[in-house]
Amino acid sequence: LASGHAHGAAGDALRAAADYRRCVQFDRGCALGWFRLGAALQQSAQWVDADKAYRRALALRPVWPEAWCNAGDALRALDRFDAAERAYRKALAQRPAFPEGWCNLGVLLDMRAARREEALECFTRAVHENPDFTEAHYNRGSALGALGRTVEAVDAYARVFELDPRHANAYNNLGILFLGDERLDDARVCFERALEADATHARALNNLGNVHLRLQRFPDAAACFERALGLSPDFAEAFNGAGLAAQELGHVDAASELFTRALSLRPRLVEARANLAMARGQLGDAAAAKAAFLQAAQESGNAILAIRAATVLPAIMGTAASLDAERASIAEELRALAHCETSATEAQFMQYFDPPFYCAYRGWNNRALLGELAALYRKLVPGLAFEAPHLGTGRSRRRVRVGFVSSHFFSHSVGVSFVRLLQNLSTDPRLELVGITLGGREDALTARIRASCAGWVSARGTLAAIRAAIAELELDVLFFTDVGMDRLTYPLALSRLARVQCLSGGHPETTGSPSVDCLISSRWLETPGAQAFYTERLVLLEAYNSVLVPPVVATDLATRAELGIDGHARVYLCPVKLHKLHPEFDAALSAIVARDPQASIVLFEDERQRHWRAQTQTRQWRTMGAAAERVRFEPWADTRTFQSWLRAADAVLDCWPFGMGTTAISALGQGIPVLTLPAERLSGRGTHALLRMMDLDWPIARDAADYVDKAVTLAREPDLRHRLAQDLRARSDVLFKQGDCAAEVAEFLIESVTREAAA
């Protein structure tokens, strides 16, 4: 016994076990020898033999709380849960004031979610019996967190840190709670402290990677997941996180492999299955994406994944026939889902929701489809139909309080489009502007926007927390700069957070939401029958619907030779994201190539989605045939290189049915003509509107044949380009010195609140 005790104290469990075996072989009736043999075997995870040793000890000495408790540990490790519970309860019956027994019983019960309340009672009893029992406080915090009692859980972990300031697991668990509440900075600090205490804590590294993902610090996230996998090579969740980081960094093939590896380790890891579906969709395999989403929906019972399966759209469009099939399939499947009697929590919704971003580019009238989708989400997740408390009360303030909400209040096309409008609106004494930013990115443009607002809210946390923060503002008007370009504006638009809610065309598409009253556009942008495209009431301004900002042009633009343009080539530049290119537009490019033997069609690769080029080329080989050989793809360009290409091009082409936005403003503002064929919908009429405002009709084509004729003429006739450039520069004041938009928007905001109050 003495030798075994000495070896055990020195941490040599194997030699201690050998000593205790010799002891019980010599004296089979030595209860203490059997007990210590069980403990030594338990230390080296020899659970079957440990269980046998404890049973021999208890047969010799039945009243022994410590032995019953240890026996419970061995039985729990062997997954014999009922027997383990009986052992722990025997220990506690023999010694009710036994904190270790209460804690271990709690750990067992906590393994079953249905018995978590009982587990919490056990941990609470343990800390009552021993207020300095660190692990009992830790387990109590874990149980409280799992039960959603976050405030109490935080208090429990605070007590752990008083007892053990370097308790890595407690910091990790507290960070998980903060991460669940979207308190990203607090979560980051917790995971970093866990790693300070234990640099080999793979789960803390994985969780820190998840924080970086949400903060859009993708290289940092990738590094965390790589370190976690170095410590734990079979860590499925870290493979999943590494896949997400790779996906965001533009390595979708690698991401797909990482998600597949995660699933090989944990076949029912629903997050990895859903992420694999998303990656397959990005790679253009809509059928595989749909199948993976459906499997994830079946495994999880989460109806949001079924909607994802129904609405899968590849970013890069296929042929015209495939687009028709996509539209019919989505409509049919949404109608089927509308009859399902199921529901989802907001947490389930936010975990897997993705806005219907790519619908806008197909050229469809999405009013009915997006209306059905919004209704389905509100049915499945009733909390999305939230209404702010102040809506049931009368107005008392004199000024109209308007909240402008966006995730893009920085140097983004949305931020650029709204900075002047907000500056001009801020001078109207009848209005009180509040900026509501949903994103974490800020720059000099953010500061300019913020300076125009009387109030500023950085809304963070869960969807419910963000909704509550906006509701507390008691807004008269909530103005969405865009809906559908991120994961927060769309669900917010399904709620009623202000007396009047309106939308501008930052993303030119209807929301489908009954909670958005108006879409603010312009008579320059819409056709007479445009209301048919919107669930919102269409409001047409006399001016353009945003205050336009003249481009800042680099002074050292590259020459054609520096850009690698062959001296004889005529460059037809279409400077848009590849997901905007429609198969009908491919036909026009093919016709241009057929008409002009010197034509070189220049497109830009995406800065992140590198695989889009191959997908675009695959479609263009089908739609353009041999003419696709004359399409040149350039890397994503910085501002100087991009402006150099605009100046060097022989013809700058707007695409259809979804056309240019800020690029057209930049090109026309520099005196560079842009050829356009206006579509029926707002998304394809931006360039047309700008040209009409400048009273310059030549670059506006009547139909596809006229577009091709004018493209070839523009490229072949430098004198024509020169005359058009002179006209554009002479008339640029029409675009950049018009201020009527702000005055009209102000009148709309005040009138809409007055009308709502009267109703």
Side-chain angles (χ1 to χ4, degrees):
L1 278 175
S3 175
H5 182 71
H7 284 132
D12 191 342
L14 293 177
R15 294 181 69 181
D19 289 337
Y20 293 134
R21 282 191 193 282
R22 284 192 290 272
C23 171
V24 297
Q25 286 170 354
F26 179 77
D27 181 1
R28 310 290 290 181
C30 181
L32 184 59
W34 286 109
F35 173 76
R36 289 186 175 175
L37 173 60
L41 293 167
Q42 183 173 335
Q43 273 187 284
S44 54
Q46 299 181 57
W47 299 109
V48 172
D49 290 339
D51 172 51
K52 292 176 181 177
Y54 288 135
R55 279 193 280 128
R56 292 295 296 269
L58 287 164
L60 293 165
R61 187 170 148 191
V63 180
W64 198 346
E66 291 85 356
W68 281 112
C69 188
N70 283 14
D73 293 342
L75 291 163
R76 185 181 75 208
L78 292 168
D79 294 339
R80 295 171 58 190
F81 299 130
D82 291 341
E85 183 175 352
R86 288 193 295 272
Y88 289 136
R89 293 199 182 279
K90 281 253 190 182
L92 293 166
Q94 293 174 3
R95 184 187 298 166
F98 188 6
E100 290 79 6
W102 286 112
C103 186
N104 290 7
L105 175 59
V107 170
L108 174 72
L109 297 175
D110 197 47
M111 295 171 71
R112 305 174 187 176
R115 303 191 70 181
R116 192 157 282 143
E117 290 283 2
E118 293 178 71
L120 177 59
E121 292 175 9
C122 292
F123 298 136
T124 301
R125 179 67 181 270
V127 299
H128 173 76
E129 300 297 344
N130 180 3
D132 295 335
F133 191 177
T134 305
E135 286 308 296
H137 284 289
Y138 164 73
N139 286 321
R140 184 170 179 273
S142 299
L144 286 164
L147 290 166
R149 294 161 63 175
T150 304
V151 174
E152 295 170 85
V154 171
D155 290 340
Y157 288 129
R159 178 62 177 143
V160 174
F161 301 136
E162 289 175 6
L163 297 165
D164 180 3
R166 292 178 60 80
H167 198 297
N169 286 337
Y171 276 118
N172 182 61
N173 282 13
L174 181 58
I176 291 171
L177 288 180
F178 289 146
L179 188 60
D181 284 343
E182 295 292 328
R183 294 170 57 181
L184 300 183
D185 288 335
D186 291 333
R188 176 185 55 77
V189 169
C190 286
F191 298 135
E192 289 174 347
R193 288 185 178 174
L195 291 165
E196 288 171 8
D198 179 5
T200 66
H201 202 303
R203 292 200 172 275
L205 274 167
N206 179 70
N207 292 330
L208 182 58
N210 287 328
V211 171
H212 286 311
L213 280 178
R214 297 193 196 185
L215 291 171
Q216 299 186 18
R217 299 170 182 168
F218 303 122
D220 292 337
C224 286
F225 295 126
E226 183 178 356
R227 286 175 60 196
L229 289 167
L231 294 167
S232 181
D234 294 332
F235 194 171
E237 287 84 352
F239 276 110
N240 180 58
L244 286 170
Q247 197 168 35
E248 294 293 349
L249 291 168
H251 309 299
V252 183
D253 286 317
S256 183
E257 293 175 9
L258 289 162
F259 297 139
T260 301
R261 182 66 187 279
L263 288 166
S264 72
L265 294 166
R266 279 191 59 193
R268 295 184 68 83
L269 183 58
V270 174
E271 294 90 341
R273 182 81 59 196
N275 291 336
L276 178 62
M278 185 166 56
R280 294 278 167 81
Q282 287 182 321
L283 291 169
D285 192 343
K290 180 184 287 287
F293 275 130
L294 283 173
Q295 184 174 348
Q298 291 163 0
E299 290 172 351
S300 66
N302 189 332
I304 305 306
L305 286 166
I307 296 177
R308 290 292 301 275
T311 57
V312 166
L313 283 175
I316 301 302
M317 288 175 262
T319 63
S322 72
L323 297 190
D324 291 341
E326 287 171 353
R327 180 69 176 83
S329 174
I330 292 173
E332 180 181 353
E333 294 189 35
L334 286 182
R335 283 194 294 270
L337 287 169
H339 296 293
C340 293
E341 295 299 326
T342 185
S343 63
T345 65
E346 283 196 5
Q348 291 173 323
F349 171 81
M350 290 304 296
Q351 184 173 13
Y352 295 117
F353 163 73
D354 196 48
F357 179 72
Y358 291 113
C359 285
Y361 299 92
R362 264 61 183 170
W364 303 333
N365 180 350
N366 291 313
R367 174 176 175 159
L369 186 148
L370 293 182
E372 291 170 8
L373 182 62
L376 181 56
Y377 278 133
R378 284 163 60 101
K379 175 187 174 185
L380 292 176
V381 191
L384 295 177
F386 171 87
E387 293 192 0
H390 76 283
L391 301 181
T393 62
R395 290 188 70 247
S396 57
R397 70 176 71 90
R398 292 179 58 192
R399 292 199 295 171
V400 172
R401 182 176 293 169
V402 186
F404 285 82
V405 61
S406 181
S407 295
H408 303 109
F409 284 149
F410 57 92
S411 295
H412 179 279
S413 59
V414 171
V416 170
S417 297
F418 274 85
V419 60
R420 282 282 186 88
L421 174 62
L422 288 168
Q423 287 172 340
N424 292 348
L425 288 174
S426 69
T427 64
D428 192 316
R430 300 171 297 173
L431 300 176
E432 177 189 355
L433 306 187
V434 180
I436 305 165
T437 175
L438 304 175
R441 186 170 168 185
E442 295 187 357
D443 58 18
L445 189 68
T446 312
R448 290 173 60 194
I449 294 172
R450 185 170 185 166
S452 300
C453 299
W456 187 261
V457 176
S458 296
R460 301 290 186 272
T462 63
L463 177 61
I466 292 171
R467 227 170 26 215
I470 297 174
E472 286 177 6
L473 297 171
E474 298 190 353
L475 297 173
D476 295 311
V477 182
L478 181 58
F479 194 120
F480 291 91
T481 63
D482 57 280
V483 171
M485 294 178 70
D486 62 81
R487 298 183 69 251
L488 286 172
T489 47
Y490 182 90
L492 288 174
L494 297 176
S495 298
R496 171 64 67 176
L497 301 171
R499 301 177 193 280
V500 176
Q501 299 192 158
C502 60
L503 168 68
S504 186
H507 181 54
E509 182 59 274
T510 185
T511 64
S513 172
S515 297
V516 181
D517 306 299
C518 304
L519 189 143
I520 301 174
S521 187
S522 164
R523 69 179 180 89
W524 297 100
L525 288 163
E526 304 288 355
T527 63
Q531 182 61 64
F533 299 121
Y534 305 106
T535 58
E536 304 82 7
R537 179 173 67 87
L538 190 57
V539 175
L540 298 181
L541 305 180
E542 288 297 312
Y544 197 77
N545 67 341
S546 63
V547 180
L548 303 178
V549 180
V552 177
V553 184
T555 56
D556 57 340
L557 298 181
T559 64
R560 285 172 63 98
E562 289 171 332
L563 293 172
I565 300 172
D566 183 275
H568 300 291
R570 277 192 281 269
V571 173
Y572 294 80
L573 176 69
C574 185
V576 300
K577 292 262 194 174
L578 295 179
H579 67 268
K580 289 186 176 183
L581 297 178
H582 195 280
E584 291 180 5
F585 185 67
D586 289 350
L589 297 181
S590 182
I592 289 169
V593 168
R595 292 273 298 277
D596 185 353
Q598 294 173 254
S600 176
I601 308 295
V602 176
L603 305 174
F604 287 105
E605 298 177 1
D606 192 80
E607 75 272 36
R608 286 170 56 197
Q609 311 297 342
R610 297 176 179 87
H611 52 285
W612 282 4
R613 170 179 174 169
Q615 292 174 38
T616 302
Q617 288 176 310
T618 298
R619 185 196 69 225
Q620 288 182 335
W621 275 108
R622 297 181 66 185
T623 57
M624 297 175 63
E629 293 182 0
R630 305 266 287 281
V631 177
R632 168 178 173 174
F633 288 84
E634 284 293 308
W636 186 256
D638 58 25
T639 300
R640 173 183 174 273
T641 306
F642 186 75
Q643 290 180 345
S644 299
W645 274 105
L646 286 174
R647 287 290 177 90
D650 297 288
V652 177
L653 307 179
D654 191 10
C655 58
W656 75 79
F658 195 112
M660 290 183 189
T662 54
T663 300
I665 299 168
S666 176
L668 297 175
Q670 295 176 60
I672 299 170
V674 179
L675 180 65
T676 190
L677 173 59
E680 288 187 301
R681 300 170 65 241
L682 166 63
S683 56
R685 299 182 66 80
T687 307
H688 168 264
L690 298 170
L691 290 167
R692 289 293 305 278
M693 289 168 67
M694 301 171 82
D695 197 23
L696 194 61
D697 290 338
W698 190 92
I700 302 171
R702 297 185 305 276
D703 52 32
D706 188 41
Y707 183 94
V708 173
D709 288 342
K710 287 189 170 182
V712 174
T713 301
L714 185 63
R716 285 177 169 170
E717 298 185 14
D719 289 343
L720 171 62
R721 293 199 301 276
H722 179 69
R723 289 197 303 274
L724 290 171
Q726 286 183 316
D727 288 341
L728 287 168
R729 284 191 287 268
R731 304 174 194 186
S732 63
D733 281 1
V734 174
L735 299 183
F736 303 120
K737 292 189 177 179
Q738 56 98 14
D740 294 340
C741 169
E744 284 191 82
V745 170
E747 293 303 324
F748 159 76
L749 295 172
I750 292 162
E751 179 191 346
S752 63
V753 173
T754 303
R755 185 189 304 117
E756 189 276 338

